[in-house]
Each structure stands twice: as structure tokens, then as C-alpha cells.
Amino acid sequence: MQLLYMNRAIELAKMGIGFVNPDPLVGVIVVKNGKIIAEGYHKGYGRFAAEVEAFNNAIEEVNGADIYINLEPDAEVIIAKGIRKVYIGMLHPKGKGRNVEIMRGAGIEVEVDILREECEELNEISIQYLSEGKPFVFTKWAMTLDGKLASKTGDSKWISGEESLRFVHHLRQRVAAIMVGENTVRLDDPLLTTRLEGVNISNPIRVILSRYGDIAMEAKVLKVDKYTKTIVIASNNISWEREKLLRERGVEVLKLKETNRRIDFNDIVQALGTRGIDSLYIEGGSEVLASAFEAGVVNKVYAAIAPKIIGGKNAVTPVGGSGIEKMRDAIVLKRVTHEIVGSEVIFKGYL
Ligand SMILES: NC(=O)c1ccc[n+]([C@@H]2O[C@H](COP(=O)([O-])OP(=O)(O)OC[C@H]3O[C@@H](n4cnc5c(N)ncnc54)[C@H](OP(=O)(O)O)[C@@H]3O)[C@@H](O)[C@H]2O)c1
């Protein structure tokens, strides 16, 4: 029953996806005399904590009840409500057990680490952001079976099928920001918004890497409104005319130091973290991905492999740059899993 209840808390937590960043996703259920008397989840940044939501929704007095919550809660609220026992998925990345101690000190029974791995994956973004202040970095690309990101002419629409594209939109919903390079904007003119049916949509902030802001003014990513913001990460050497043109469009221009014709990804994640961006999804292309891997900022890789063969030795591969010389220097992913989505394999691993 414990696992069932914790799974339900995780499902509830997921209802906050897209709206809580940079807060963690939290879900709670309250059980009394073997019956669920309340459920709640954290609905959005700055809103009530999940446990408070649940207590407000209770159909009976919560005094003497047990709660199941995926993340260590605030002890004061639990004590004030007279909760008997607390089942916790994982400790809070900041307090790391401080609230557990307080609750135990107040005579409340506490059990931790229930479905801990699932709870940690659910909040992998917050675990990193709350402890290091840097966004959790995902990469996701779609490649052909012969390892290409696009054809020799730069055409990549569409390597992936519909089901796999839906996966991309779920990832866009989850993250605070999405990034592509200037060439991808030029060749694909992507919108980079979230398109999902049946859920409230949240668009990530679009981040375009372009040292001199050479982006066509009619590019879709430069159409900014209340729900779809864009940041161009440029070099300190961007011309003031270009910068002005972009700013007039409502685009934020974030200027960073340029070294050897590149902007260091360590500076990029630092600057985004300072702006409250807890997660970044790098969608491509090849040069941006290479630069991110070289700087060592990538945390998680998704790679979709489609059963298509396009050939062309000059067609771009997912990770460009100058590459390594010896296999012993390869980046080897950990905790690798895969799933079949439509006719594609989506491969997942951590760095
Ligand atoms: N299949 C997929 O999943 C997928 C996803 C995305 C893209 N794509 C494909 O990928 C291709 C484009 O890839 P690409 O490698 O040519 O270009 P890209 O990675 O999209 O853009 C590279 C450009 O970004 C700018 N940049 C600024 N700072 C950088 C930094 N630190 N690191 C790297 N770049 C930086 C540079 O332009 P400046 O020097 O002018 O600043 C650089 O030339 C397209 O054909 C597109 O269709 C495929």
C-alpha cells in the first residue's frame, strides 16, 4: 500500500509540470483509517506548498492522519496539523533531513526513502538547482540510423515521427528554457514552443546562441509575447545596432565574454541560473551540442534514433566540434535505459 500511495503522490506532483520551476514538484495524499481523505500538489511557483493544498482540500479532520509526500515537507505545518505518521520519498536537497529531525522530535513517526529513485528523477532539476544554483541541462536530438542530425543540405524535418515529437513537447513543458544555435534558426526557423493537447501549456524561454545576433528579423523565435519570451545569448562584441534591433523586438540580449569564437557554456549556465532558470533543454544543432559537452555542463541525454538512412559524409552528426582522438576519452553515459516510441528508440542516460 505504501508504494501505491507514494506512486499516487508522484502522479499528483506531475500535475505541476510546467508551472512550478524553480520550485520542486510535490504531491501529497492524506490517509486516515485506511481511506484517502485529501490530495494536493504544488500548483505553481510562489503558490501554496503541496501539503497546505492537501490539508485545505481535506474532507475530514486531518488530525491523526498519515501523509505520503514525495519530498521532505515543512515540519511546522505537519506538526500544527497533528499528523501521526509521514512517509517521505526523498529528503529536501536544501535542508537534507532537518525537517525530519524536527518532526521526529515532536513525536511524529517518519519513514524516508520510499520510491526514492523515482522521486529523485522526478525532481532532478530541483536537486541540482537548489544545491548548485545552476540549471539542470538536458539534451535531446533525433538522428537517423546512420547517425545524422540532418541531410547534407541541412534538412531535418522530419527525422522523427509524431509520437517522438510528442516526447519533445513534454520535455519543453517540463523545462524553464530551451536552446538552439543560430544555424538551426536559419535552417529550420523553429517556433520552440510547447504544443500538447489536453493540458495547460507552458512555453519555455527560448534561448538562441548567436554571437553577433545574425538572426533574420522575420524568424519565428523573434516573435515575442507575454507567453513566449526569447533571450539571445550574444558576445560582448555584438554591434549596438543589432542589439538595439533585437531589444526593440522585445528580445532580451544577454552579453557574455567570447573566447576563440565561442561563448563558454559554463558562463552561459551561470548566467541563466542567476536569472532563476533551473533547467535548460539544448535541442541542437551540432555545434551548440559539441560546445555544451566540451564544457561539461550536460546532465542528461535523450537521443531518438529513427529507422531512416540518409548518408552523406558531410551531413551533420549530433555532436560536432573537433572531437576526441581516442576512445578511452569518450564521454560514457551512466544509468542508461531506452524506450520504444513509435518506430524509434529513445535512448536515455546521465553524465
Ligand atoms: N535532428 C535534430 O534533433 C536537430 C535539432 C536541432 C538542429 N538540427 C539541425 O542541425 C543543423 C544546425 O546545426 P549546426 O551545428 O550547423 O549549427 P547550430 O549548432 O544550430 O548553430 C551554431 C552557431 O551557434 C553560434 N554559437 C554561439 N556561441 C556558441 C557556442 N558557445 N557554441 C556553439 N555555437 C555557438 C555560432 O554562430 P556564431 O559564430 O555566428 O555566433 C555557431 O555557428 C541544422 O541542419 C538543423 O536542422 C537537428
Side-chain angles (χ1 to χ4, degrees), residues 64-86:
D66 297 345
I67 72 161
Y68 293 77
I69 181 164
N70 60 297
L71 186 71
E72 181 183 1
D74 175 15
E76 300 307 322
V77 181
I78 306 299
I79 296 167
K81 288 288 176 185
I83 298 301
R84 190 189 72 93
K85 182 159 182 176
V86 182

Side-chain angles (χ1 to χ4, degrees), residues 22-216:
D23 282 346
L25 292 163
V26 189
V28 183
I29 66 170
V30 184
V31 179
K32 195 169 180 180
N33 301 325
K35 191 175 93 188
I36 296 178
I37 60 161
E39 292 188 336
Y41 66 95
H42 185 38
K43 290 190 170 153
Y45 179 66
R47 296 183 61 179
F48 282 137
E51 54 273 31
V52 176
E53 277 285 343
F55 297 149
N56 289 346
N57 295 338
I59 52 167
E60 264 180 46
E61 185 51 57
V62 299
N63 188 29
D66 297 345
I67 72 161
Y68 293 77
I69 181 164
N70 60 297
L71 186 71
E72 181 183 1
D74 175 15
E76 300 307 322
V77 181
I78 306 299
I79 296 167
K81 288 288 176 185
I83 298 301
R84 190 189 72 93
K85 182 159 182 176
V86 182
Y87 296 87
I88 297 174
M90 61 172 278
L91 298 180
H92 197 283
K94 269 209 157 150
K96 295 191 178 118
R98 196 170 48 85
N99 281 287
V100 169
E101 274 173 38
I102 301 172
M103 288 187 284
R104 285 188 176 140
I108 297 171
E109 276 183 70
V110 183
E111 236 179 87
V112 291
D113 289 347
I114 298 157
L115 292 181
R116 182 164 56 88
E117 275 180 27
E118 286 84 346
C119 293
E120 283 179 349
E121 183 168 0
L122 176 74
N123 271 315
E124 57 197 3
I125 290 176
S126 303
I127 294 172
Q128 163 146 323
Y129 187 69
L130 294 177
S131 47
E132 294 175 35
K134 284 189 297 194
F136 187 90
V137 178
F138 297 87
T139 62
K140 153 77 177 65
W141 62 78
M143 67 183 197
T144 60
L145 198 54
D146 55 337
K148 308 293 185 188
L149 204 57
S151 74
K152 65 178 181 183
T153 61
D155 181 35
S156 64
K157 282 182 180 154
W158 299 98
I159 289 177
S160 279
E162 234 171 74
E163 288 105 323
S164 180
L165 287 173
R166 211 170 302 128
F167 182 94
V168 164
H169 287 281
H170 279 287
L171 190 51
R172 289 182 180 181
Q173 173 88 346
R174 175 75 182 97
V175 295
I178 181 168
M179 172 187 279
V180 296
E182 182 192 292
N183 283 350
T184 297
V185 172
R186 183 175 307 120
L187 287 158
D188 299 356
D189 194 18
L191 201 51
L192 303 181
T193 53
T194 309
R195 271 104 64 200
L196 287 171
E197 277 168 25
V199 287
N200 285 335
I201 291 302
S202 144
N203 287 327
I205 298 173
R206 301 173 294 195
V207 180
I208 314 301
L209 256 185
S210 172
R211 285 179 303 149
Y212 304 119
D214 289 329
I215 302 166

Side-chain angles (χ1 to χ4, degrees), residues 263-287:
I263 297 167
D264 188 335
F265 255 93
N266 287 295
D267 295 342
I268 293 173
V269 293
Q270 198 70 46
L272 295 178
T274 313
R275 278 172 165 64
I277 292 175
D278 66 359
S279 43
L280 174 69
Y281 160 22
I282 307 178
E283 203 168 83
S286 182
E287 283 313 306

